[in-house]
Amino acid sequence: MKKLKAVFVTAALVLTALVSTAPMANAAVGTSTSLKPEHREAWVHFRPALDSAHLVVSNVALRTVCYIDQGNVRWNLVYDDFQMRTGYTYASYLTTQSTQWCGNVGMKTGGAKGETWVHLYPRPDWAYEAMYAGHDVAAVCTLGFITDPDGVSRRWDLYVDHANNVAGFTWYTSFYSSPLSITEC
């Protein structure tokens, strides 16, 4: 009986050690949502403003990341899993709005190394907005490594510039201290 108990205790300790050292799975960022029935598609912008460049997202796999109030309008930063697109859209277009304020979302990056271009989807040859050194920029999530049109594989992360509410994807090496371990988009 003592041998059986010792084997059981040893097995329990080994199992505990394996579980505690196993890497934790990252949950995707944001809350699942969809567009209201009257909106089959929505524009998403770099900034919470209609005069900001935009892309279109569809109602396939959307998640809200955070919200910002601009004047009398609430905007949600959304991420489209299906098309790997992000941007701000009217919160009123969504069935579920974010409860996370954009002003404190993400992990601090130590700032941009210089003028850094961000994109609404991971393509360096598409339109961009700039983030600047000295701004309060945070890393929100990662898409992981993606091969660019030039054939180079780079890690693309979603960033929010709290100073001017710009959001977009760029290479994690553009910032002084981008987190190596970050939630998956």
Side-chain angles (χ1 to χ4, degrees):
M1 185 70 164
K2 281 187 174 181
K3 265 188 174 174
L4 186 58
K5 206 179 226 184
V7 168
F8 176 73
V9 169
T10 303
L13 289 173
V14 168
L15 183 59
T16 302
L18 287 173
V19 169
S20 65
T21 59
M24 297 294 290
N26 285 335
V29 72
T31 304
S32 292
T33 190
S34 57
L35 297 173
K36 290 183 177 175
E38 61 270 23
H39 303 287
R40 296 182 57 201
E41 296 179 330
W43 286 4
V44 293
H45 304 264
F46 284 109
R47 293 176 286 105
L50 290 177
D51 64 348
S52 176
H54 69 276
L55 285 173
V56 175
V57 295
S58 59
N59 203 16
V60 177
L62 287 177
R63 282 184 274 128
T64 62
V65 176
C66 60
Y67 75 88
I68 191 87
D69 291 323
Q70 197 76 351
N72 294 331
V73 179
R74 175 156 290 182
W75 295 78
N76 272 208
L77 179 61
V78 296
Y79 173 69
D80 179 347
D81 282 316
F82 184 69
Q83 297 178 315
M84 291 191 314
R85 295 179 175 187
T86 194
Y88 293 98
T89 195
Y90 289 136
S92 61
Y93 284 13
L94 306 171
T95 57
T96 303
Q97 298 180 17
S98 179
T99 58
Q100 169 71 48
W101 179 55
C102 291
N104 61 10
V105 71
M107 299 169 72
K108 301 292 183 192
T109 63
K113 292 178 181 175
E115 182 179 290
T116 299
W117 293 357
V118 294
H119 310 271
L120 295 178
Y121 72 110
R123 286 290 302 252
D125 58 350
W126 196 75
Y128 65 90
E129 279 275 342
M131 292 183 180
Y132 299 98
H135 282 198
D136 177 19
V137 177
V140 177
C141 60
T142 186
L143 296 175
F145 285 85
I146 296 173
T147 302
D148 293 336
D150 61 3
V152 177
S153 182
R154 295 182 175 97
R155 191 179 104 185
W156 286 82
D157 292 351
L158 173 59
Y159 294 91
V160 173
D161 183 337
H162 296 142
N164 61 7
N165 296 320
V166 169
F169 294 108
T170 195
W171 309 320
Y172 80 107
T173 55
S174 301
F175 298 90
Y176 285 110
S177 62
S178 276
L180 295 177
S181 176
I182 188 171
T183 302
E184 294 177 17
C185 293

